[in-house]
């Protein structure tokens, strides 16, 4: 027999190897193997087993790594699809489907010594006082990790070993699982009684879960045969306003899946994967007839913890996994349901190869394995709602908040007027100031949002015109007052903040800091409301691992009156005592050079506003804006997603932007600007020639990227648009193999990019 193997060294090829007779029973698709390659041995993964090869003189597989194959044929099929669709080499796609800690086995299982109490012998030996102490401890807990036992008894290993000699205890090596949530006390919860909107949504999901289907054993076949217009729809878009109780619907759909003997994957954006969220899922399945372990996968786990969580899933002990982007590859089998919460979130897109979008991979995996997919959001992406319009997804709607809470009242404040009254734009309009004061008096809580950290966003000299720029990137430096530094938010460069203009010929002491960041909002608040307890939350203020949890905990228990923050506080958080939300500068995200600027602003405003009024007192939101009549702001004010969608889709249609078309963004990088530009121009011509039979292809560029220089590299982009991305990816992959780039110019291709910078 012959095994086809992809190697973990980056080569866009697969190689055939003989399976030697002793390994015959041990190799299947997905098995990891060590194979000879040139003069060395390298790791690889078996992707197919065949009888014949077109090559002669095949070499043999050296050995098998690990007992159970790590990549199931189903996940392997998914990796293949990713390689093809996202235009990347198969082994790169394959790497992403296994956590590094599982792939390398470098941490493996943690073993430790356990002490166990044996039944007392009939003739009791003589026991010393110290030994008795150990026995007493073991009576309460018959198996004790040796290390902990020694600490508890304040003695040495010698005492325990004596007891072993006397036949009272055994000491043995045991695997001890790491549990990232071991310290949490999680109380079981029961299903809530659903309101009528939730019940209707759940009913349709359950009907899809129960619907019989015919599946082939070959996942790729299932993907091909899934008909988009099929009315026994299996992909849902759950559009539920903030606070509509989407999580309860997910939990009950998960219960139903478990009852069917299947498992599920729940994707949550990294930023919302708080202990609070995880606990809601763990609590529901910690007892009762469908109890199961709930595994958690995210980037803050240690690599050992990730290893153990992954294997709990692989062994079938955890049938639900909740995690960020890469949890979509979790080896749940059989898979009944995939939930993608906050499906519009851009963090589902991986920004390095393979540049996959976990939401889209979820839909593909659902088709391959016959699983139902539920995409949930208060502000669906244009792509997903377009798929509803095209009847590819079914829409489930929950337009009101659970338990009769009302949506907050949103007031848009015209900052142009405020600027006129106050000789220059103030940070706080008098309306917002007044509102904060009132809420503080009533002992209610306030959240203030500004999506920019630091104190001031630029440093200028108005004598000589000097502006503090990053030496490596085409952005200005941000002033961080707490550390007295100017920092680049792209490459991390920092330098001491100057007291006078740094130009040796100028030396003007009157240099000016302008532009606004969260640090300045915090300090201004301190002057305005000296008695209020104010806390700031952004990536600068979080220094230690548990800061995030601690600050949110303090806010929840009322130790903080006003929480100021960046997008870190925008989403998913649920604080019943927050009755006022202020958005300091709503236009910020409107001005980014990206066709999704309006969509992003709408989403951000709606999500931030959704933090208000989740308890008994009605919520109020102040949106400060210099373009108060912009559609993104006005539709967000009215909580009108469909209205926003309809005007936005017109604009996308006119310019043939997604979701009307699909985009592949080609970016060239290099240190020599002219060389990069020249290569980009040459590349465009070559692409035009190579792809000339793609009739609907639109090629734009090359043009300097919005971020024209980053980390010392100049960047040029070519944007390709088509309705048929599979065809385009395929052609581009072929084309790129043959195209020779000059030495110092590198090229990346991003299919369905979410970030055009
Ligand atoms: P969403 O994710 O849609 O923003 P959540 O799932 O966080 O909303 O629910 C908001 C609040 O409503 C939570 O406190 C939740 O416990 C509560 N809730 C959800 N469903 C019900 C229900 N059927 N009855 C009472 N309270 C509910
Ligand atoms: Zn920089």
């Amino acid at each position: 027999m012959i095994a086809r193997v992809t190697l973990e060294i980056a080569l866009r090829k697969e190689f055939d190897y003989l399976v030697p007779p002793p390994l015959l029973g041990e190799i299947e698709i997905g098995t990891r193997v060590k194979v000879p390659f040139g003069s060395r041995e390298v790791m690889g993964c078996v992707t197919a087993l065949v009888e014949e090869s077109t090559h002669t003189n095949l070499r043999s597989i050296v050995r098998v790594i690990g007992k159970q194959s790590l990549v199931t044929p189903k996940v392997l099929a998914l990796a293949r699809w990713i390689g093809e669709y996202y235009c990347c080499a198969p082994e790169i796609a394959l790497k992403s489907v296994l956590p590094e800690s599982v792939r390398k086995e470098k941490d493996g299982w943690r073993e430790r010594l356990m002490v166990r109490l044996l039944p007392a012998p009939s003739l009791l030996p003589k026991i010393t006082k110290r030994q008795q102490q150990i026995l007493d401890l073991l009576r309460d807990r018959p198996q004790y990790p040796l290390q902990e036992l020694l600490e508890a008894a304040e003695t040495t290993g010698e005492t325990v070993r004596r007891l072993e000699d006397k036949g009272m205890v055994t000491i043995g090596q045991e695997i001890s699982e790491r549990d990232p949530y071991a310290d949490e006390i999680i109380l079981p919860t029961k299903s809530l009684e659903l309101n009528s909107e939730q019940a209707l949504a759940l009913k349709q999901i359950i009907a899809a879960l129960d619907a019989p289907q015919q599946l082939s054993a070959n996942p790729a076949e299932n993907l091909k045969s899934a008909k988009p217009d099929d009315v026994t729809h299996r992909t849902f878009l759950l559009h539920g306003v903030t606070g509509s109780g989407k999580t309860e619907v997910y939990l009950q759909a998960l219960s139903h899946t478990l009852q069917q003997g299947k498992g599920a994957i729940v994707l949550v954006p990294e930023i919302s994967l708080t202990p609070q969220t995880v606990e809601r899922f763990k609590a529901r399945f910690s007892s009762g007839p469908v109890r199961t372990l709930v595994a958690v996968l995210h980037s803050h786990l240690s690599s050992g913890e990730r290893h153990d969580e992954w294997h709990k899933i692989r062994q079938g002990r955890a049938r639900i996994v909740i995690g960020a982007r890469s949890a979509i590859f979790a080896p749940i089998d059989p898979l009944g349901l995939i939930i993608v919460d906050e499906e519009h979130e851009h963090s589902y897109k991986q920004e390095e190869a393979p540049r996959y979008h976990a939401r889209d991979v979820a839909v593909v995996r659902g088709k391959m394995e016959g699983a139902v997919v539920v995409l949930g959001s208060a502000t669906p992406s244009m792509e997903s709602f377009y798929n509803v319009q095209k009847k590819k997804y079914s829409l489930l709607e929950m337009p009101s908040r659970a338990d009769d809470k009302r949506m907050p009242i949103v007031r848009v404040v015209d900052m142009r007027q405020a600027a006129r009254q106050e000789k220059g734009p103030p940070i706080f309009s008098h309306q917002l100031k007044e509102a904060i004061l009132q809420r503080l008096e009533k002992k209610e809580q306030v959240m203030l949002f500004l999506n920019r950290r630091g104190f001031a966003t630029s440093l200028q000299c108005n004598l000589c015109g000097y502006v503090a720029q990053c030496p490596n990137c085409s952005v200005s430096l941000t002033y961080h007052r707490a550390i007295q530094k100017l920092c680049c938010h792209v490459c991390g460069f920092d330098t001491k903040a100057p007291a006078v203009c740094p130009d040796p010929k100028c030396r003007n002491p009157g240099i000016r800091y302008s532009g606004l960041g969260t640090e300045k909002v915090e300090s201004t608040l301190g002057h305005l409301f000296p008695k209020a307890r104010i806390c700031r939350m952004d990536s600068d203020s979080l220094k230690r691992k548990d800061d995030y949890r601690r600050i949110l905990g303090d806010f929840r228990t009322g130790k903080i009156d006003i929480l100021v923050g960046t997008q870190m506080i925008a989403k998913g958080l649920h604080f019943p005592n927050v009755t006022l939300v202020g958005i300091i500068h709503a236009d910020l995200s409107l001005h980014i050079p990206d066709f999704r600027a309006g969509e992003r602003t709408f989403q951000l405003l709606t999500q931030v506003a959704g933090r208000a009024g989740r308890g008994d007192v009605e919520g109020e939101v102040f949106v400060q804006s210099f373009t108060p009549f912009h559609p993104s702001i006005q539709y967000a004010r009215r909580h009108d997603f469909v209205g926003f969608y309809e005007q936005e889709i017109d604009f996308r249609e006119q310019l043939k932007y997604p979701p009307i078309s699909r985009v592949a963004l080609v970016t060239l990088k290099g240190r020599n600007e002219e060389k990069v530009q020249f290569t980009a121009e040459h590349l465009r011509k070559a692409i035009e020639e190579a792809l000339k039979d793609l009739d609907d292809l639109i090629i734009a560029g090359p043009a300097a990227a919005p971020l024209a220089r980053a980390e010392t590299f100049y960047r040029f982009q070519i944007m390709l648009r088509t309705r048929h991305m599979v065809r385009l990816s395929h052609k581009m992959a072929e084309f790129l193999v043959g195209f020779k780039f000059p030495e110092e110019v590198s090229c990346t291709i991003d299919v369905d990019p979410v970030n055009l910078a």
Side-chain angles (χ1 to χ4, degrees):
M1 187 154 56
I2 291 156
R4 198 149 282 163
V5 178
T6 96
L7 306 181
E8 287 194 359
I9 47 178
L11 294 165
R12 268 179 195 270
K13 268 179 86 175
E14 291 174 325
F15 296 86
D16 289 353
Y17 287 91
L18 286 175
V19 179
L23 294 184
L24 266 178
E26 291 191 42
I27 291 190
E28 52 184 350
I29 294 176
T31 306
R32 284 161 68 249
V33 290
K34 200 148 231 185
V35 294
F37 189 78
S39 59
R40 19 180 213 147
E41 286 183 0
V42 297
M43 298 269 265
C45 175
V46 176
T47 60
L49 291 167
V50 292
E51 293 302 325
E52 281 172 46
S53 171
T54 50
H55 301 275
T56 49
N57 294 333
L58 294 185
R59 302 169 78 179
S60 293
I61 291 176
V62 181
R63 64 191 154 88
V64 168
I65 316 281
K67 285 187 210 75
Q68 198 177 22
S69 87
L70 291 175
V71 186
T72 61
K74 289 174 182 168
V75 173
L76 193 69
L78 195 61
R80 256 186 207 289
W81 178 84
I82 286 178
E84 281 163 20
Y85 183 82
Y86 292 101
C87 204
C88 76
E91 70 282 351
I92 290 183
L94 202 56
K95 257 190 184 171
S96 71
V97 305
L98 277 185
E100 171 127 334
S101 51
V102 174
R103 204 152 30 86
K104 300 235 165 97
E105 274 287 339
K106 66 172 187 298
D107 293 297
W109 296 100
R110 182 175 62 178
E111 290 189 80
R112 57 180 175 176
L113 292 172
M114 292 289 277
V115 184
R116 276 169 202 278
L117 191 62
L118 290 175
S122 47
L123 209 76
L124 273 183
K126 211 165 157 265
I127 301 286
T128 67
K129 215 168 131 197
R130 281 208 175 281
Q131 291 166 356
Q132 188 56 47
Q133 219 180 334
I134 299 266
L135 291 177
D136 290 344
L137 283 165
L138 283 167
R139 225 149 258 139
D140 293 338
R141 187 175 156 188
Q143 35 172 322
Y144 224 120
L146 177 65
Q147 211 48 46
E148 288 177 35
L149 185 64
L150 297 183
E151 278 160 28
E154 292 177 6
T155 181
T156 64
E158 197 49 35
T159 322
V160 186
R161 236 163 280 129
R162 286 270 152 76
L163 282 170
E164 192 184 29
D165 292 344
K166 291 175 182 166
M168 306 290 288
V169 303
T170 60
I171 308 174
Q173 192 89 286
E174 248 172 58
I175 286 180
S176 93
E177 252 167 31
R178 307 164 181 97
D179 181 352
Y181 294 84
D183 298 339
E184 311 280 334
I185 300 160
I186 296 176
L187 300 175
T189 59
K190 290 220 173 61
S191 295
L192 297 177
E193 193 168 332
L194 298 183
N195 65 31
S196 59
E197 289 171 1
Q198 289 172 312
L200 190 61
L202 181 67
K203 197 174 133 199
Q204 294 182 65
I205 297 170
I206 286 182
L209 285 168
D210 287 344
Q213 12 163 18
Q214 287 189 329
L215 276 182
S216 146
N218 178 350
E221 274 310 309
N222 293 331
L223 180 62
K224 255 189 258 156
S225 63
K227 286 191 220 62
D229 291 318
D230 210 338
V231 277
T232 60
H233 257 329
R234 304 183 64 76
T235 304
F236 295 95
L237 176 64
L238 172 58
H239 175 211
V241 298
T242 53
S244 57
K246 292 186 283 295
T247 309
E248 188 60 33
V249 174
Y250 300 154
L251 287 167
Q252 298 195 22
L254 289 168
S255 277
H256 191 85
T257 308
L258 291 172
Q259 275 164 28
Q260 294 180 315
K262 295 181 178 170
I265 297 173
V266 181
L267 295 188
V268 179
E270 183 86 48
I271 201 169
S272 324
L273 200 55
T274 56
Q276 199 191 2
T277 311
V278 172
E279 277 163 30
R280 276 171 95 176
F281 287 83
K282 283 194 177 258
R284 186 62 59 86
F285 303 106
S286 64
S287 67
V290 291
R291 72 182 281 193
T292 176
L293 292 180
V294 174
V296 183
L297 290 173
H298 65 81
S299 65
H300 292 303
L301 301 184
S302 69
S303 83
E305 284 170 342
R306 216 169 307 160
H307 169 275
D308 290 8
E309 291 294 290
W310 194 90
H311 280 283
K312 276 178 215 166
I313 304 165
R314 184 73 175 101
Q315 294 160 356
R317 290 189 296 136
R319 286 155 63 216
I320 293 181
V321 53
I322 174 164
R325 190 170 61 222
S326 65
I328 192 54
F329 303 115
I332 299 269
D333 197 9
L335 179 64
L337 177 65
I338 308 176
I339 289 164
V340 184
D341 193 29
E342 311 282 4
E343 64 86 26
H344 63 280
E345 268 287 317
H346 286 178
S347 61
Y348 283 127
K349 174 82 173 174
Q350 173 146 300
E351 294 290 2
E352 58 189 63
R355 294 183 161 74
Y356 67 90
H357 196 302
R359 175 200 59 216
D360 299 340
V361 175
V363 173
V364 169
R365 184 165 180 190
K367 285 185 186 151
M368 285 184 163
E369 300 185 32
V372 169
V373 179
V374 178
L375 313 176
S377 177
T379 51
S381 61
M382 292 298 289
E383 282 78 2
S384 294
F385 208 72
Y386 185 71
N387 281 331
V388 168
Q389 305 288 310
K390 292 276 153 196
K391 305 217 173 350
K392 289 187 183 171
Y393 302 168
S394 294
L395 183 63
L396 306 171
E397 287 181 289
M398 305 204 304
S400 26
R401 283 189 160 177
D403 60 16
D404 298 329
K405 302 264 153 40
R406 281 210 253 149
M407 293 301 281
I409 298 165
V410 180
R411 304 181 198 283
V412 179
V413 182
D414 187 343
M415 291 303 273
R416 296 170 303 182
Q417 267 184 14
R420 252 176 264 134
Q421 286 158 5
E422 310 215 3
K423 303 187 200 94
I427 299 173
F428 297 100
S429 59
H430 72 86
Q431 293 97 315
L432 180 54
K433 260 188 288 196
E434 185 57 31
I436 295 175
L437 196 65
Q438 282 179 16
R439 299 292 168 173
L440 290 177
E441 273 170 9
K442 288 192 217 155
K443 303 263 179 286
E444 293 166 10
Q445 288 174 302
V446 178
M447 283 172 104
L448 297 175
F449 173 83
L450 177 67
N451 210 9
R452 205 155 58 177
R453 59 201 174 85
F455 190 84
T457 49
S458 78
L459 166 66
Q460 285 159 314
C461 169
N462 41 14
L463 268 187
C464 75
Y466 168 88
V467 177
Q469 282 271 351
C470 176
N472 311 320
C473 313
S474 54
V475 295
S476 56
L477 295 172
T478 301
Y479 172 51
H480 289 253
R481 196 172 70 172
I483 50 171
Q484 282 297 318
K485 277 185 172 166
L486 296 173
C487 307
C488 172
H489 288 183
V490 174
C491 72
F493 168 88
D494 66 44
T495 178
K496 205 170 158 300
V500 298
C501 175
D503 188 322
K505 289 200 275 319
C506 178
R507 293 279 166 202
N508 169 24
I511 44 171
R512 273 194 27 208
Y513 289 100
S514 56
L516 177 63
T518 42
E519 219 181 309
K520 186 159 184 182
V521 173
E522 183 193 20
S523 92
T524 310
L525 269 178
H527 294 303
L528 290 174
F529 307 102
K531 287 201 193 113
R533 293 160 302 172
I534 300 162
C535 190
R536 172 168 58 95
M537 186 139 107
D538 54 32
S539 53
D540 300 319
S541 74
L542 302 183
K543 297 210 171 60
R544 264 176 277 122
K545 197 181 161 203
D546 59 341
D547 277 353
Y548 181 72
R549 200 190 271 223
R550 185 181 47 79
I551 295 176
L552 293 185
D554 285 353
F555 194 49
R556 178 163 296 109
T557 50
K559 289 184 198 148
I560 296 169
D561 301 312
I562 307 178
L563 186 63
V564 180
T566 53
Q567 58 173 357
M568 227 172 242
I569 63 165
K571 291 155 194 172
L573 301 173
H574 180 76
F575 298 107
N577 199 35
V578 171
T579 54
L580 174 65
V581 165
I583 296 163
I584 304 295
H585 194 343
D587 314 322
L588 268 189
S589 51
L590 277 178
H591 301 315
I592 50 173
D594 188 321
F595 69 89
R596 289 196 181 89
E599 180 181 6
R600 261 192 225 184
T601 304
F602 175 82
Q603 289 169 345
L604 204 56
L605 295 187
T606 309
Q607 295 286 347
V608 179
R611 299 312 112 216
R614 296 175 70 110
D616 295 330
V617 184
E618 201 170 331
E620 191 179 26
V621 181
F622 282 82
V623 178
Q624 302 192 139
S625 166
F626 290 92
T627 49
F629 297 104
H630 191 285
S632 295
I633 291 174
Q634 285 299 325
Y635 284 112
R637 179 175 78 77
R638 285 181 252 152
H639 311 288
D640 182 2
F641 168 76
V642 176
F644 172 77
Y645 173 86
E646 280 169 358
Q647 64 88 35
E648 181 71 14
I649 199 78
D650 273 353
F651 151 71
R652 306 285 177 96
E653 178 79 63
Q654 277 164 25
L655 298 174
K656 296 285 174 282
Y657 275 129
I660 307 301
S661 69
R662 287 172 182 262
V663 167
L665 190 64
V666 182
T667 304
L668 294 184
K669 286 200 291 192
R671 290 214 166 85
N672 181 329
E673 188 174 10
E674 269 173 50
K675 201 166 179 178
V676 181
Q677 183 167 12
F678 178 79
T679 311
E681 277 158 12
H682 177 53
L683 180 67
R684 180 201 156 116
K685 290 196 194 100
I687 291 177
E688 225 166 325
E689 178 59 29
L691 275 61
K692 63 173 181 286
D693 43 327
L694 295 189
D695 39 23
D696 74 338
L697 181 69
I698 303 173
I699 308 182
L707 185 58
R709 186 164 175 256
E711 300 176 60
T712 73
F713 290 97
Y714 292 91
R715 308 163 77 246
F716 279 82
Q717 293 177 333
I718 299 170
M719 189 194 262
L720 309 174
R721 273 174 284 169
T722 176
R723 278 172 192 270
H724 309 286
M725 187 49 81
V726 177
R727 243 172 41 181
L728 176 75
S729 293
H730 185 79
K731 292 246 172 199
M732 274 304 280
E734 253 173 24
F735 163 78
L736 285 172
V737 172
F739 189 86
K740 267 211 85 56
F741 288 96
E743 285 250 314
E744 299 97 38
V745 178
S746 67
C747 171
T748 57
I749 175 160
D750 188 352
V751 172
D752 298 341
V754 297
N755 179 0
L756 302 184

